[in-house]
């Protein structure tokens, strides 16, 4: 006899099935791959249309690779997701899609990713394969290892920046790498903080290595990491590298209070349990975040 999840997957109509497949790809998470553009922004090449084809291929390749990873994660995490109050509604956990459908989608995505990446340097394809390998290890084991999991997540965000540099031939500065690793370690710690804070005292977070009692340590270390990214920014503004890129470099100091506001607000909202399970998803839907980003780039543009 078929399980309830299998019955649901079989009886779905074509429209509902297509909608569930799109939902499984999680296209709203593709916005994270905007990080691939950072090397262009940092090198003041954002208006160089000759590089936009490469950036488009890189963005599409990483976005589909991220979707492939999400499908793999969902299939691996089925037992945990079915017990989660929100994740149980995901296509595979709810039974809207079968595991067999997930495997077919994975093969199709893999072929499309290879086709897109063939138009970029081989090193970029190597980074994609490395991204996949680390994500597979993360899903199978690393996500259960305390603090190593958040470092891996931050590293994967930073890898997107490196991939953007490889795709366009732009060298990524050590300043940018240092800023992104600290900034995204803070975001990854916030993700864990939200999960831990919602766990009952004395309980272990499902599928993770954290207890509810770890929340204070996670809050302190995560917010400290966020502040370290600001320290990197301050050191960069005092470095000789700033002189050759910005005509009005003194105005760049306005970026510091802008970032301070966002970081302080972000962590107080996390403490109030007003942050989505995924902080990046929260940021994409948060009007204050978009206003902060707009203000940040206005200052950057004026300083240039």
């Amino acid at each position: 006899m078929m399980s309830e999840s299998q019955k649901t997957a079989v009886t779905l109509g074509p429209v509902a099935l297509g909608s569930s497949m799109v939902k499984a790809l999680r296209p709203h998470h593709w916005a994270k791959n905007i990080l691939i553009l950072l090397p262009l922004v940092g090198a003041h090449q954002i208006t160089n249309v000759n590089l936009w084809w490469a950036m488009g291929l890189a963005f599409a390749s990483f976005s589909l690779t991220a979707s492939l990873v999400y499908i793999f994660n969902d299939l691996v995490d089925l037992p945990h997701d079915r017990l989660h109050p929100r994740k149980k509604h995901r296509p595979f956990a709810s039974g809207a899609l079968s595991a067999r459908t997930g495997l077919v989608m994975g093969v199709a995505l893999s072929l499309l990713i290879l086709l897109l990446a063939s138009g970029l340097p081989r090193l970029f394809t190597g980074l994609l394969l490395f991204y996949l390998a680390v994500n597979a290890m993360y899903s199978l084991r690393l996500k259960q290892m305390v603090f190593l999991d958040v470092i891996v997540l931050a590293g994967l965000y930073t890898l997107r920046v490196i991939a953007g540099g490889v795709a366009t031939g732009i060298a990524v500065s050590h300043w940018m790498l240092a800023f992104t690793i600290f900034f995204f370690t803070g975001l990854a710690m916030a993700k864990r903080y939200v999960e831990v804070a919602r766990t009952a005292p004395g309980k272990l977070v499902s599928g993770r290595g954290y207890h509810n009692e770890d929340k204070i340590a996670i809050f302190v270390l995560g917010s400290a990491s966020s502040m370290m990214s600001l320290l990197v920014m301050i050191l960069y503004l005092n470095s000789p590298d700033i002189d050759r890129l910005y005509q009005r470099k003194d105005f760049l100091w306005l970026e510091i209070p802008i970032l301070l506001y966002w970081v302080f607000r972000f962590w107080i909202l996390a403490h109030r349990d007003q942050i989505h399970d995924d902080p990046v998803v929260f940021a994409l839907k948060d009007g204050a975040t978009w206003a902060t980003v707009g203000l940040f780039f206005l200052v950057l543009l004026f300083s240039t």
Side-chain angles (χ1 to χ4, degrees), residues 33-40 45-63 113 115-125 127-128 160-170:
N33 297 314
I34 292 174
L35 291 172
I36 288 173
L37 294 174
L38 282 184
L40 257 70
Q45 294 292 317
I46 198 71
T47 57
N48 188 342
V49 294
N50 295 323
L51 297 177
W52 276 92
W53 175 250
M55 292 307 304
L57 288 177
F59 180 86
S61 298
F62 251 92
S63 295
I113 291 164
L115 178 63
L116 291 170
S118 64
L120 295 169
R122 289 185 179 179
L123 180 56
F124 180 86
T125 304
L127 291 175
L128 275 181
R160 289 171 166 89
V161 179
I162 297 172
V166 170
T168 56
I170 296 174

Side-chain angles (χ1 to χ4, degrees), residues 175-217:
W175 292 112
M176 183 174 288
L177 292 177
F179 176 85
T180 53
I181 195 68
F182 281 118
F183 185 80
F184 287 108
T185 296
L187 287 189
M189 293 288 277
K191 179 180 175 69
R192 290 293 173 261
Y193 177 78
V194 170
E195 293 173 345
V196 168
R198 294 174 181 173
T199 303
K203 298 292 184 179
L204 190 69
V205 178
S206 179
R208 302 290 185 265
Y210 299 91
H211 296 265
N212 173 268
E213 289 73 19
D214 297 328
K215 62 184 178 182
I216 295 177

Side-chain angles (χ1 to χ4, degrees), residues 15-38:
V15 175
L17 180 62
S19 176
S20 294
M21 293 174 72
V22 171
K23 187 177 179 181
L25 295 177
R26 298 189 215 175
H28 58 283
H29 284 280
W30 293 353
K32 297 175 183 179
N33 297 314
I34 292 174
L35 291 172
I36 288 173
L37 294 174
L38 282 184

